[in-house]
Amino acid sequence: MTERLTGMFAALMTGLDDSGQFDAGRQRNLTAHVLKQGLAGLYVGGSSGESGLLDAAELAEQQEVVADCAKDSGAVLIAHVGMPNLRDSIRLAERAAELGYHALSALPPHSYPFSDAEIEAYYRDLAAATDLPMIVYEVPVRTGRPIALDALERILDLPNVAGIKFSSMDLFKLSMLRRRRPNSRYFFGYDEVYLSGAVLGADGGIGSTYNILGRLYVALNQAVREGDLPRAQELQDVSQIFVEALLKTGVLSGLKAAFRIQGVEVGRTRAPMALQMPDDAAEAHMRAVMDRPEVAAWL
């Protein structure tokens, strides 16, 4: 299965109803929209899916809805199962395996300042819970601190651990890790500088803005693989225009506004996450950037 863990994966967003509850119908519509964009697959239940604001039962329901939507699509499904406690993480991992997911991923344990040894033990136990390959996760913005390089090396050596989603701007660390563990899979997690991670050896990307601009990121990755640096730079510039607009609305809130502009109702983000400007202003702001010819060409 690990040979299919390459290319571009949307960090799938979550459909909520108008009261903020998980909405299976909206999740189906959202998922169908993203699946049309030619991506390698979907990363389900991660940070872009508001997993830190959902409970384990909601995430399990989302897993089921997405698996059903994608069953005939050929998409590779990675279930993010990283909860604050190991017990819920294992339950989500086992459910994903039952539903036919192809791989798992997980944030390191969070909510407390866990040691590197505790993080390593967490991944050892979680990776052993199923036969699915595990993509571990370096994301200091969520956990509050980076994992030490030597600890990441040990984690990548664990049974069933296939690779890492690297969401850090420490590109030297990414390069060192790739050189020291060349047989692992590397996914880069910062959409706006994906090109940097790709030229340093990333096998693909997992990103939130892929939900809207999936076709662009597929083309960007292809340009890198073909050695067409001017084309890759051109496409990365378009990505940055879109990401820069999102920074003014809040990334997830702005992406949900972008879905609404495209006629896909996915609800608002769950409290306490909120737009950084009023709804009407946010939609006008996102519509303006989506109407720009260089962006509109990829919608």
Side-chain angles (χ1 to χ4, degrees), residues 38-206:
L39 294 155
L42 305 175
Y43 185 90
V44 183
S47 301
S48 298
E50 302 173 67
S51 62
L53 304 175
L54 304 177
D55 61 37
E58 290 172 310
L59 290 167
E61 184 179 0
Q62 182 186 46
Q63 285 182 0
E64 185 171 356
V65 170
V66 174
D68 184 60
C69 289
K71 62 185 176 183
D72 297 320
S73 69
V76 176
L77 299 181
I78 303 173
H80 176 270
V81 299
M83 300 294 284
N85 69 85
L86 178 61
R87 182 178 61 180
D88 282 345
S89 298
I90 288 176
R91 287 175 177 169
L92 284 173
E94 292 172 340
R95 182 58 179 148
E98 292 170 357
L99 290 168
Y101 277 72
H102 304 97
L104 302 173
S105 185
L107 279 167
H110 43 289
S111 302
Y112 295 95
F114 294 102
S115 68
D116 289 343
E118 289 169 323
I119 293 170
E120 183 179 347
Y122 169 87
Y123 278 124
R124 179 184 297 109
D125 292 343
L126 183 55
T130 76
D131 292 330
L132 295 179
M134 169 66 67
I135 304 297
V136 301
Y137 201 172
E138 167 74 333
V139 56
V141 71
R142 279 291 306 272
T143 61
R145 71 169 183 88
I147 303 173
L149 180 62
D150 60 345
L152 284 175
E153 292 175 28
R154 292 192 301 271
I155 291 168
L156 287 173
D157 289 339
L158 293 172
N160 275 1
V161 172
I164 185 169
K165 180 184 178 187
F166 194 86
S167 293
S168 165
M169 288 295 192
D170 189 346
L171 297 177
F172 183 41
K173 184 177 183 179
L174 172 63
S175 297
M176 289 189 290
L177 194 59
R178 187 188 59 78
R179 289 199 310 272
R180 295 180 186 186
R181 294 297 183 272
N183 294 324
S184 295
R185 298 283 173 160
Y186 294 89
F187 292 96
F188 193 61
Y190 273 104
D191 306 8
E192 62 272 30
V193 289
Y194 173 72
L195 174 56
S196 301
V199 298
L200 289 174
D203 297 289
I206 299 171

